[in-house]
Amino acid sequence: METFDVIVVGLGAMGSATAYTLAKRGARVLGIDANLPHSKLGSSHGPTRATRESYFESPEYVPLARRSNDLWRKLEAESNARLLDIKGALYFAPQNHPLLNGVCLAADQHGLAVEKIDTEEAEQRYPGFSVPDGWQILREPGAGLLQAEACLDAFRDLARRHGAQLRFQSAATRWRQEGGASS
């Protein structure tokens, strides 16, 4: 009977990253998923995911977002795949909107570069947009897109390279623990 240190149930973004990280640290890992890779039944499907540094909802997330960008770059280097495209993001809202205020607060607290763009300049730089009067535009250069399927492939390929066994179309129906961790 095969034994594992860890069984990861679900190999979407979080499960695949977990399997990779634990296998890289030397754990015997089994990852199982009831579906095929890149299934549309989970939350990790689709071509891209947005990433940003200026968390307007809560500036406390900024250090985590910055760290995640560093980790994506390390994963790119290890997997030899292009995963993260930093192109910047635009935020459009009426003056003093909570979104804009939150972006500015996060930028101020964490030294993020955020550019304020007036309506006329925005329409010249981005002719596809028609900005309503009284609106403000912010540009965050550190935002970008993750290539979601490539990220999943990188995690899974590297997990296998580090010894993890990944099984798709294998539903978790039961498990049991034998032995136990020594304290």
Side-chain angles (χ1 to χ4, degrees), residues 10-19 43-44 49 72 148 151-152 155-156:
L11 292 170
M14 298 305 291
S16 294
T18 300
S43 63
S44 297
R49 293 292 183 275
W72 287 118
C151 292
L152 288 170
F155 281 135
R156 293 168 182 164

Side-chain angles (χ1 to χ4, degrees), residues 11-94:
L11 292 170
M14 298 305 291
S16 294
T18 300
Y20 155 69
T21 302
L22 292 171
K24 186 174 181 176
R25 292 179 182 178
R28 292 172 303 183
V29 176
L30 170 65
I32 60 173
D33 196 300
N35 301 302
L36 290 167
H38 305 298
S39 169
K40 293 182 180 177
L41 297 175
S43 63
S44 297
H45 73 280
T48 59
R49 293 292 183 275
T51 182
R52 56 195 162 91
E53 292 182 330
S54 66
Y55 268 77
F56 58 87
E57 301 95 329
S58 183
E60 293 80 14
Y61 284 108
V62 172
L64 293 172
R66 286 180 155 169
R67 177 75 174 127
S68 72
N69 283 349
D70 294 340
L71 292 172
W72 287 118
R73 293 298 187 210
K74 287 180 181 181
L75 186 66
E76 281 182 324
E78 188 175 353
S79 66
N80 198 31
R82 186 173 176 181
L83 306 175
L84 176 62
D85 295 318
I86 300 294
K87 303 287 186 188
L90 295 172
Y91 301 96
F92 297 81

Side-chain angles (χ1 to χ4, degrees), residues 3-183:
T3 60
F4 300 92
D5 297 318
V6 178
I7 298 174
V8 178
V9 178
L11 292 170
M14 298 305 291
S16 294
T18 300
Y20 155 69
T21 302
L22 292 171
K24 186 174 181 176
R25 292 179 182 178
R28 292 172 303 183
V29 176
L30 170 65
I32 60 173
D33 196 300
N35 301 302
L36 290 167
H38 305 298
S39 169
K40 293 182 180 177
L41 297 175
S43 63
S44 297
H45 73 280
T48 59
R49 293 292 183 275
T51 182
R52 56 195 162 91
E53 292 182 330
S54 66
Y55 268 77
F56 58 87
E57 301 95 329
S58 183
E60 293 80 14
Y61 284 108
V62 172
L64 293 172
R66 286 180 155 169
R67 177 75 174 127
S68 72
N69 283 349
D70 294 340
L71 292 172
W72 287 118
R73 293 298 187 210
K74 287 180 181 181
L75 186 66
E76 281 182 324
E78 188 175 353
S79 66
N80 198 31
R82 186 173 176 181
L83 306 175
L84 176 62
D85 295 318
I86 300 294
K87 303 287 186 188
L90 295 172
Y91 301 96
F92 297 81
Q95 294 283 342
N96 295 315
H97 188 278
L99 177 141
L100 301 174
N101 293 338
V103 169
C104 290
L105 179 64
D108 290 346
Q109 285 184 8
H110 297 281
L112 298 175
V114 172
E115 177 185 6
K116 293 182 181 181
I117 304 171
D118 65 36
T119 304
E120 184 177 312
E121 181 183 356
E123 289 178 353
Q124 289 174 358
R125 286 172 63 179
Y126 311 104
F129 293 106
S130 177
V131 182
D133 289 336
W135 281 45
Q136 183 180 357
I137 302 97
L138 299 176
R139 181 176 183 278
E140 178 193 344
L145 292 175
L146 289 164
Q147 302 305 314
E149 290 187 357
C151 292
L152 288 170
D153 290 340
F155 281 135
R156 293 168 182 164
D157 292 346
L158 291 169
R160 285 185 181 106
R161 191 181 306 167
H162 290 288
Q165 292 185 39
L166 305 182
R167 299 179 187 160
F168 291 89
Q169 293 186 294
S170 298
T173 57
R174 65 184 176 278
W175 68 275
R176 77 171 184 261
Q177 178 179 346
E178 292 183 6
S182 59
S183 29

